[in-house]
Amino acid sequence: MAADTIPHRLLARARELGGNCPAVHTKQGDRWVPKSWAAYADEIRRAAKGLMALGVGHGDRICLLGFNAPEWAMLDLAAMMIGAVPAGIYTTCSAEEVRYILTHAEAKVCLVETRAHWEKVLGARDALPELVAVTMIAAPELEDEGGTTLTWGQLLARGADVPDSDLDARLDALKDDDHATFIYTSGTTGPPKAVILTHGNLAWTAGAAIRLNATTADDSSLSYLPLSHIAEKMFTVLAPATCGSQVYFATSFDKVADELREVQPTLVFGVPRVWEKMYLGVSSRLAEAPQPRKAIAEWAMGVGRRVVARRNRGEALSLRERAAYRLARRLVFSRLRPLMGLGRVTVCVSGAAPIAREVLEFFSGLDLVVQEVYGQSEDCGPTTFNRPGATKFGTVGLPLEGTEVRIADDGEILVKGPHVFAGYFKDPEGTAEVLRDGWLHSGDLGAFDSDGFLTITGRKKEILITAGGKNIAPANIEAALKGVPMVSQAVVIGDRRPYLVALLALDPPAAEAFAKEHGLAVADVPASEALRAVLQQGIDNEVNPRFAQVEHVRKFAVLPRELSIEGGELTPTMKVKRKVVDEHFADEIEALYASGRSA
């Protein structure tokens, strides 16, 4: 019996859905142009034969560097189809980081999107004796001295003479425990690790993911987050091959808001920053609405929150609640949600970092349940998941069915299941550190409540130990701070210090609106006393009361800009590099402690 791998599922979807059902959509001008499942699978097979013609063998690695595009997904699937191992590279990586990953992976082929990406790869060619080709997604032919550059069309043409039987033999030889993909972590310290995920890992997790939310071929998503991250790869590549759902490829990250409104997908995955931006945009619009409209919206959102709370507990609505809900949907939800691109959405997911409960509660008022998921690359993305009829805001949900999750004596979350990775490539010491007796040691701290819902309480390596010897996990405090009006980012400081302080960055549109309201230049907003009063009120009333006295934020500084990947303070997956933040804003931190304790 053939193995149940993602490439096998892809071909089954093509046979089942054929030439009439779209697999992917790309934007050409102002039109979204579909490609059928039959055409999609055929092009993937041609790309697979092109790789074979270039000498890519079983177990060889290829890399992919570029913004989301059908060619990215197709080459990823083509590589897996022939037993090769694809590995994505974040587009924000520097030339040095690109060189490291290409060298570490010993890449034989690299797909690139732009000339700038092409130059980064060719700049590392002296360290890449294995590299036989660089393929451009959508660019004119580029000459290079080594003659290694191919257009996408040239790659497809290379495989014309490879017999289909040779490709089928490669496909039939795939085994569950073969390496299927590398996910390079964007760790906050040190070089990235290559997480080895097997065909069995990917197939099992994709199946579990679509069962959670009953995803079908009628569902659709907009692909815009980095495909080098396992979560977006699940939504764009793995789950669609399993269930036949459709993928629209965004043209750029800057166009996501507009294209969400055009596409109106049924599945939306976003990191917390995406949901926070939506929250800030909608809440500011509602605040500016005329009083009668505002009153109707507030009533409807109250109804939405009550209805969602019932549904999250799996409870039925009363006749009175159903009547109020129908009216709220007609007056508010059906009008407001399409403006956000969420008019048809049935599944909203937030992952990769903590999200403020206030944001989740806000969306529930619009009859939207944003399901928080927790996991890591090392277990293919999901460890626990909030799900329809079983969601608790402020938790990351219940363990996936078929897995085991437990809390070690020191509070660390341990995971065992078919989705746990095979190890780190070329790093037996790192593997042995996190993978013991089949249990993945996540490095995260957590606790289960009486209903089995998991709450993340911090990171083992990010625990702050105050001068008084108190151990404090900053993640939940930071998530709460991001619920304060206008705050987009927060970093809590306090290691070996007498008390906690926070560095806060403002949401740019919110800062502009505040400046206009108070007659200030935008550059003067961070130092404004009026702003500090708003932030202090939020911290005093909404943040500190939720935590123990020792966890209270005593002082804060407003940064002149947001933390960024380009500035070096964030990883490509938007995790904070705390050491870099400490270095870049050392003066601001020292000033917060210079005058002693604040009330």
Side-chain angles (χ1 to χ4, degrees), residues 548-568:
Q549 187 78 17
V550 72
E551 297 173 309
H552 285 190
V553 174
R554 303 296 177 184
K555 293 184 179 182
F556 65 89
V558 182
L559 301 179
R561 62 173 176 83
E562 288 190 297
L563 308 179
S564 68
I565 297 170
E566 295 76 16

Side-chain angles (χ1 to χ4, degrees), residues 177-257:
D177 58 358
D178 283 345
H179 296 178
T181 195
F182 288 173
I183 302 294
Y184 275 89
T185 64
S186 58
T188 54
T189 59
K193 291 182 171 69
V195 173
I196 302 170
L197 299 178
T198 67
H199 284 286
N201 289 151
L202 299 183
W204 185 89
T205 309
I210 65 170
R211 286 192 297 273
L212 274 173
N213 293 294
T215 311
T216 72
D218 293 326
D219 284 303
S220 60
S221 62
L222 180 70
S223 179
Y224 67 96
L225 291 171
L227 281 166
S228 40
H229 192 284
I230 185 59
E232 187 61 57
K233 185 165 180 169
M234 183 63 67
F235 275 85
T236 297
V237 180
L238 308 177
T242 299
C243 69
S245 57
Q246 303 174 37
V247 178
Y248 290 77
F249 284 89
T251 54
S252 73
F253 192 81
D254 294 338
K255 297 286 183 63
V256 167

Side-chain angles (χ1 to χ4, degrees), residues 504-525:
L504 307 178
L506 303 179
D507 176 69
E512 290 174 10
F514 187 89
K516 183 178 179 180
E517 180 184 352
H518 290 81
L520 298 169
V522 174
D524 295 333
V525 170

Side-chain angles (χ1 to χ4, degrees), residues 185 193 195 197 376-381 419-421 424 434 440:
T185 64
K193 291 182 171 69
V195 173
L197 299 178
Q376 46 269 310
S377 300
E378 288 84 350
D379 64 3
C380 294
H419 57 338
V420 171
F421 78 138
Y424 296 119
V434 303
L440 168 63

Side-chain angles (χ1 to χ4, degrees), residues 156-177:
L156 299 182
R158 282 288 183 100
D161 295 331
V162 175
D164 284 334
S165 58
D166 288 359
L167 172 57
D168 292 338
R170 289 279 197 99
L171 181 65
D172 291 342
L174 296 180
K175 298 177 181 177
D176 287 347
D177 58 358

Side-chain angles (χ1 to χ4, degrees), residues 24 26 59 68 112 127 180 219 232 255 331 384 444 495 521 523 533 546:
V24 296
T26 52
N68 304 25
V112 297
D219 284 303
E232 187 61 57
K255 297 286 183 63
L331 294 177
T384 60
D444 294 311
D495 197 46
R546 294 165 54 179

